[in-house]
Amino acid sequence: MSTVNKTAHSFDKTRFEALLNRRFFYAPAFEIYGGVAGLYDYGPPGSALQANIIAEWRKHFIVEEHMLELDTTIMTPAPVFETSGHVARFADWMVKDTKTGDVLRADHLVKNVLEARLASDKEARGLAAQPPKEDEKDKKKKKKNVKAAPLQLADEIVEKYERILAKLDDYTGPELGDLCRKHALKNPDTGNEVTEPVQFNLMFASSIGPTGQHPGFLRPETAQGHFLNFSRLLEYNNGRVPFASAQIGRSFRNEISPRAGLLRVREFTMAEIEHFVDPADKSHAHFNDVRHVVLSLLDRHTQSAGRTEVRKMSVGEAVDTGVVANQTLGYFLARIYMFLLKIGINPERLRFRQHMANEMAHYATDCWDAEIQNSYGWTECVGCADRAAYDLSVHSAKTGHPLVVRQALKEPIVVEKEVPEFNKKNLGKKFLKDAAVVQQIIGDMDETQLLAVKAQLSQGSATIASSESEQRTFELTPDLLTIERKTLKQSVREFVPNVIEPSFGLGRILYALLEHSFWCREQDVERGVLSLPPLVAPTKVLIVPLSAKEEFDPLVAEVSTKLRRAGVFSRVDDSNTSIGKRYSRNDELGTPFGVTLDFASVANRTMTLRERDTLTQLIGDIDEVIKVVIELVEGSITWADACQRLPAYDGVQAID
Amino acid sequence: MSTVNKTAHSFDKTRFEALLNRRFFYAPAFEIYGGVAGLYDYGPPGSALQANIIAEWRKHFIVEEHMLELDTTIMTPAPVFETSGHVARFADWMVKDTKTGDVLRADHLVKNVLEARLASDKEARGLAAQPPKEDEKDKKKKKKNVKAAPLQLADEIVEKYERILAKLDDYTGPELGDLCRKHALKNPDTGNEVTEPVQFNLMFASSIGPTGQHPGFLRPETAQGHFLNFSRLLEYNNGRVPFASAQIGRSFRNEISPRAGLLRVREFTMAEIEHFVDPADKSHAHFNDVRHVVLSLLDRHTQSAGRTEVRKMSVGEAVDTGVVANQTLGYFLARIYMFLLKIGINPERLRFRQHMANEMAHYATDCWDAEIQNSYGWTECVGCADRAAYDLSVHSAKTGHPLVVRQALKEPIVVEKEVPEFNKKNLGKKFLKDAAVVQQIIGDMDETQLLAVKAQLSQGSATIASSESEQRTFELTPDLLTIERKTLKQSVREFVPNVIEPSFGLGRILYALLEHSFWCREQDVERGVLSLPPLVAPTKVLIVPLSAKEEFDPLVAEVSTKLRRAGVFSRVDDSNTSIGKRYSRNDELGTPFGVTLDFASVANRTMTLRERDTLTQLIGDIDEVIKVVIELVEGSITWADACQRLPAYDGVQAID
């Protein structure tokens, strides 16, 4: 078997991007109209890769975990996001160039300038500096400027910059503004100063209906659709928790200045799970199945100390020692890890990073991101947040619709509590239509407040106040209201479930996977390969007849049909070029296997089988090769197994 | 085997809707916020049904026809829809109630009022009138009014109304206004007069970027995403036509007053194919495979004559006689028909209706709708339009990016044509920077115009005019320009391909399928059934252990795992209720098969198998039953075959 050296050439981003563009994995949307930043279209191989990742996601999560799938609308009336807090707080900090008016994200500005200074420092110190991460657009802009001479920084400045970068996600807007002033951070494209950071809401706005009467937003996440349907989902699940809903769909974020390809886009496909769980019991029935899974963890304490080293730890240990808060959160971190490895992410370039306090979304109480390393750095690809009872509580409070679980208790609980009782006749006489207001005020009181009223009543009368904007007071006497301590039996426990939310950015995962899969043949840097696993490869088997001549048609049809019946997606390439060129093209498309039909096939019903990474070829009877290739694609045998089953073929036509 | 009488009870819409709501197939979105018309969420069975329909669509069209899948963005910059004509013309006619300001769609107003008058007339004539189609909202509003006494109409009025309704889709806005005045059509909810119809654009508007600099729209169809990527798709297909791109995705239309459930929504999932074909050759390579397929056709001539009867005709005959314009259009009509039948649409309630001239979308030259009959009437569920070269031409003209096919000719064509030749030196001297303008004007001229200039030049000088808004003229003389007739060899033919577009509204198809699948047991109208084919049923097999006791767990796990490995989606129902009740619930969910595990299973490894529609049960060894049920789900055997393979079971527990 040939040996494969996938790292003979270091990662070449230019070649990589050229390949993705040439093979139409994806391309800027509206390209012929000049394009719009942050919007991309997926071409045939990109669409197929995405569809395969989604299919595996559905199997790994929805089917295996018996989740309830949902498909809710993108267009959302404004009141929903007012309640959820998105209208007030789903925003990034932006600054403007004081002269050109160009808009920049404040945290990106800090990151880019400090990283550039550190890189310049390294150069000055004569260290082999990695060039600062930047994309094509940045490069072009910078080319116009004369390259500045490398500038060495004081050691304590270097240390300070590194500390700032390590906890960059934790700064508030005003703090980012302070950093800009203190460290003289300017727009790197122009050298101009920038304004104080201001908030920019990231939701796209629209309006619903012909008279514009309903303001609406495009959802920035699918989650609210789950929460609003909670009662129906609970009923569908026979009233029991825990259960999870899942949804795959498009979301929108009006990014301030998107520049990082598929990693920061304004429209994206996400897959979200909302796992509803008893807040008093966040254990997970299948936790022991994943207890042994070892993850690379970067917790919030390490980051707050300005450091970034990960700890390798089993999920079991992480939960036992409190690094990860509970079993359900730990279970999902492990399942996320297993999913990402299955589709081909390199485990050495995957870590789980805990959010720091200020960084956390407004709804979260704890959050871990699965970050995947790529040429832009470490990128959040999956968020796994404990949203606690936040969302269900706020929607319930706003709409008056109870979003709770009612659980029959095996043993009724006996509780003592203060119970108010009205003399409704007297109350009505005294307060007329305000009687309902009075009842409401008392009904909303907790134990302590009731005790205070009770104490006042025992003195003769109590005064209570409404919570309206124009507060009114009412005086109550014992002939209107009595409050007594009573012993009550509760046979039903009512609670608002907590929500653990794994949320996948599919485009980011897809991009990182493409980077992890890309390499160039040792002998020829021009020959790029995408080593996508058969599970997600757009095409599993390429069928290559020697030529488009009719004599091969029946065999091509036979092989193609047999593969299709087995559920294996193949493509025929009978284009007018050499077999080697056709295979090279399909190496770029990530097609793992190829079969060649030639004159020997017509005469003896033999067929050769080629493996993408090793370039080795086997030969055998057509039906035997089909059997082997089906098992290879299904993952039930490896290429080494296949080499045991079929003799090697040393023909040359496919390796030219 | 039991006999099944699915039509023992006539279709009961109230029970049907209650079932869909109870089982959470779908529900109004944002229900706890009061909802917004035209937005719906799909619950678990609805999502699964939709996912299965999409999976079959992908197989039937994309895989079998080797289409190129795309996934393009929803958010679209305004210039794209300005070019495509949607900004100017993608609109409906609306009227306002002159007193309340309520907004109504003009054509819906005409339809509702005329249908109500005809129904009243039938009642007055003592004919068994079908109640006019209306939805819940209408009913509630009308209840407030006193029911008017039935009113008989003159025969010629009845005839006139029927003629208007038959060609309703063909009226322009002003014509709809005329109808309102002429026939005194008023807002049926209030009895008030309505305003003249005005156009309302159906696209949702938004803006892209932090400074609002890019106005955008949410796409009302996925098609433009295909057209803008045409060059890349063509290259991916090695420069050859015909080929088709396909896309499944969300689109948005800001409907004026949506009231017909899933049939008229503001956000919907569609599946669109754009088949690019040589305008000079619209034959289809596989036409003979579908030539025999018989369709019910309602052509435009029949409708223009105010009639609605269909003709049954094979696709072959329809294309041969010119009823359907070409093979490619005919091929897709047949494939659409086959797809709809496969997923369970009743062929007796499916027809293909040709658009009338005014009805056609602005881009189409011919269009046939697959219409499915349901309780709202005949509803367009698939459109199949010949968009000709419209879209590619307008985008090409606007952007200057050629969207053409270049085809090497086997035999070069020899053509004679007028060829202009400039003396560039003299031209530059005389016109300075306007020289380019002059060359452009001449370059844009067709043969006739060139001949005119040539004739003028032969008289001494020619005057040509620019096409700018401030027209300028230039005088040319033979020392600047000569025009000569030359014989040229063309070895490449260049053309703008035509586009045949089958466009599927998946929500409408899903809804019609649910109606076609619904019936009630003869013996008990309360027991609703959805007879969904196994291919699309949300769950294929229900696993029912006698109880949730632990002793059944190993068998439940075994059966469930074996089915999953075979790719058959099953669900376990071990809820605390009778087996009969659990089966009834799953009849409502459309689950075609059920297996029961009881004490006999534990003792003898037997399992019963129940069929949803006939209620018959078979019994056998667990593994044998699993084998049979897998074949049933895959469609390789029928229930009658299964009855030959396994003995009948006459136990009673599952039919209570």
Side-chain angles (χ1 to χ4, degrees), chain B residues 160-175:
Chain B
K160 180 169 274 174
Y161 285 179
E162 280 169 351
R163 243 193 344 263
I164 292 170
L165 288 171
K167 57 174 189 171
L168 185 63
D169 291 328
D170 207 32
Y171 291 108
T172 62
E175 285 169 349

Short mmCIF file of all heavy atoms in Angstrom, two decimals, chain B residues 160-175:
data_model
loop_
_atom_site.label_atom_id
_atom_site.label_comp_id
_atom_site.label_asym_id
_atom_site.label_seq_id
_atom_site.Cartn_x
_atom_site.Cartn_y
_atom_site.Cartn_z
N LYS B 160 -73.67 34.12 -15.79
CA LYS B 160 -72.64 35.16 -15.82
C LYS B 160 -71.65 35.00 -14.66
O LYS B 160 -70.44 35.05 -14.84
CB LYS B 160 -73.31 36.55 -15.76
CG LYS B 160 -72.34 37.70 -15.78
CD LYS B 160 -73.02 39.05 -16.00
CE LYS B 160 -73.21 39.35 -17.49
NZ LYS B 160 -73.97 40.56 -17.75
N TYR B 161 -72.19 34.78 -13.45
CA TYR B 161 -71.32 34.61 -12.28
C TYR B 161 -70.38 33.41 -12.49
O TYR B 161 -69.19 33.47 -12.18
CB TYR B 161 -72.14 34.38 -11.00
CG TYR B 161 -72.80 35.63 -10.46
CD1 TYR B 161 -73.60 35.57 -9.32
CD2 TYR B 161 -72.64 36.87 -11.08
CE1 TYR B 161 -74.21 36.70 -8.81
CE2 TYR B 161 -73.25 38.00 -10.58
CZ TYR B 161 -74.06 37.92 -9.44
OH TYR B 161 -74.67 39.05 -8.95
N GLU B 162 -70.96 32.31 -13.02
CA GLU B 162 -70.13 31.12 -13.21
C GLU B 162 -69.02 31.39 -14.21
O GLU B 162 -67.90 30.90 -14.06
CB GLU B 162 -70.99 29.93 -13.63
CG GLU B 162 -71.68 29.31 -12.41
CD GLU B 162 -72.76 28.30 -12.75
OE1 GLU B 162 -73.13 28.19 -13.95
OE2 GLU B 162 -73.25 27.63 -11.81
N ARG B 163 -69.32 32.19 -15.23
CA ARG B 163 -68.31 32.53 -16.22
C ARG B 163 -67.21 33.38 -15.60
O ARG B 163 -66.02 33.18 -15.86
CB ARG B 163 -68.95 33.26 -17.41
CG ARG B 163 -68.81 32.47 -18.70
CD ARG B 163 -69.12 33.22 -19.98
NE ARG B 163 -69.86 34.45 -19.85
CZ ARG B 163 -71.19 34.54 -20.02
NH1 ARG B 163 -71.92 33.49 -20.29
NH2 ARG B 163 -71.76 35.72 -19.92
N ILE B 164 -67.61 34.34 -14.78
CA ILE B 164 -66.62 35.19 -14.10
C ILE B 164 -65.69 34.34 -13.24
O ILE B 164 -64.47 34.47 -13.28
CB ILE B 164 -67.32 36.26 -13.23
CG1 ILE B 164 -68.05 37.28 -14.12
CG2 ILE B 164 -66.30 36.98 -12.33
CD1 ILE B 164 -68.96 38.22 -13.35
N LEU B 165 -66.29 33.43 -12.47
CA LEU B 165 -65.49 32.60 -11.56
C LEU B 165 -64.52 31.71 -12.34
O LEU B 165 -63.38 31.51 -11.92
CB LEU B 165 -66.39 31.75 -10.67
CG LEU B 165 -67.15 32.54 -9.58
CD1 LEU B 165 -68.18 31.67 -8.88
CD2 LEU B 165 -66.17 33.12 -8.56
N ALA B 166 -64.96 31.17 -13.48
CA ALA B 166 -64.10 30.26 -14.25
C ALA B 166 -62.84 30.96 -14.74
O ALA B 166 -61.79 30.35 -14.88
CB ALA B 166 -64.86 29.65 -15.43
N LYS B 167 -62.96 32.26 -15.05
CA LYS B 167 -61.76 32.95 -15.53
C LYS B 167 -61.30 34.06 -14.58
O LYS B 167 -60.67 35.04 -14.98
CB LYS B 167 -61.94 33.47 -16.97
CG LYS B 167 -63.09 34.39 -17.21
CD LYS B 167 -62.98 34.89 -18.67
CE LYS B 167 -63.98 35.99 -18.92
NZ LYS B 167 -63.80 36.65 -20.21
N LEU B 168 -61.58 33.85 -13.32
CA LEU B 168 -61.27 34.87 -12.30
C LEU B 168 -59.79 35.27 -12.32
O LEU B 168 -59.44 36.44 -12.17
CB LEU B 168 -61.65 34.33 -10.92
CG LEU B 168 -61.50 35.32 -9.76
CD1 LEU B 168 -62.43 36.51 -9.93
CD2 LEU B 168 -61.79 34.64 -8.43
N ASP B 169 -58.90 34.25 -12.51
CA ASP B 169 -57.47 34.53 -12.44
C ASP B 169 -56.99 35.39 -13.61
O ASP B 169 -55.83 35.79 -13.65
CB ASP B 169 -56.69 33.21 -12.43
CG ASP B 169 -56.91 32.45 -11.13
OD1 ASP B 169 -57.09 33.11 -10.10
OD2 ASP B 169 -56.89 31.21 -11.16
N ASP B 170 -57.87 35.65 -14.57
CA ASP B 170 -57.43 36.35 -15.77
C ASP B 170 -57.72 37.86 -15.72
O ASP B 170 -57.34 38.58 -16.63
CB ASP B 170 -58.12 35.73 -16.99
CG ASP B 170 -57.30 35.91 -18.25
OD1 ASP B 170 -56.05 35.93 -18.15
OD2 ASP B 170 -57.90 36.06 -19.33
N TYR B 171 -58.41 38.34 -14.68
CA TYR B 171 -58.75 39.76 -14.63
C TYR B 171 -57.60 40.63 -14.14
O TYR B 171 -56.87 40.25 -13.25
CB TYR B 171 -59.97 39.97 -13.71
CG TYR B 171 -61.25 39.40 -14.26
CD1 TYR B 171 -61.80 38.27 -13.69
CD2 TYR B 171 -61.88 39.98 -15.35
CE1 TYR B 171 -62.99 37.73 -14.19
CE2 TYR B 171 -63.05 39.45 -15.87
CZ TYR B 171 -63.60 38.32 -15.28
OH TYR B 171 -64.76 37.78 -15.78
N THR B 172 -57.49 41.81 -14.73
CA THR B 172 -56.53 42.80 -14.24
C THR B 172 -57.16 43.55 -13.06
O THR B 172 -58.37 43.40 -12.81
CB THR B 172 -56.22 43.83 -15.33
OG1 THR B 172 -57.44 44.52 -15.64
CG2 THR B 172 -55.68 43.17 -16.58
N GLY B 173 -56.35 44.38 -12.37
CA GLY B 173 -56.87 45.14 -11.23
C GLY B 173 -58.06 46.02 -11.60
O GLY B 173 -59.11 45.95 -10.97
N PRO B 174 -57.90 46.87 -12.63
CA PRO B 174 -59.03 47.73 -13.01
C PRO B 174 -60.28 46.92 -13.37
O PRO B 174 -61.40 47.32 -13.05
CB PRO B 174 -58.49 48.49 -14.23
CG PRO B 174 -57.00 48.47 -14.04
CD PRO B 174 -56.68 47.19 -13.36
N GLU B 175 -60.08 45.76 -14.00
CA GLU B 175 -61.23 44.92 -14.34
C GLU B 175 -61.93 44.40 -13.08
O GLU B 175 -63.16 44.32 -13.02
CB GLU B 175 -60.79 43.74 -15.22
CG GLU B 175 -60.49 44.16 -16.66
CD GLU B 175 -59.80 43.07 -17.47
OE1 GLU B 175 -59.37 42.05 -16.90
OE2 GLU B 175 -59.69 43.25 -18.71
#
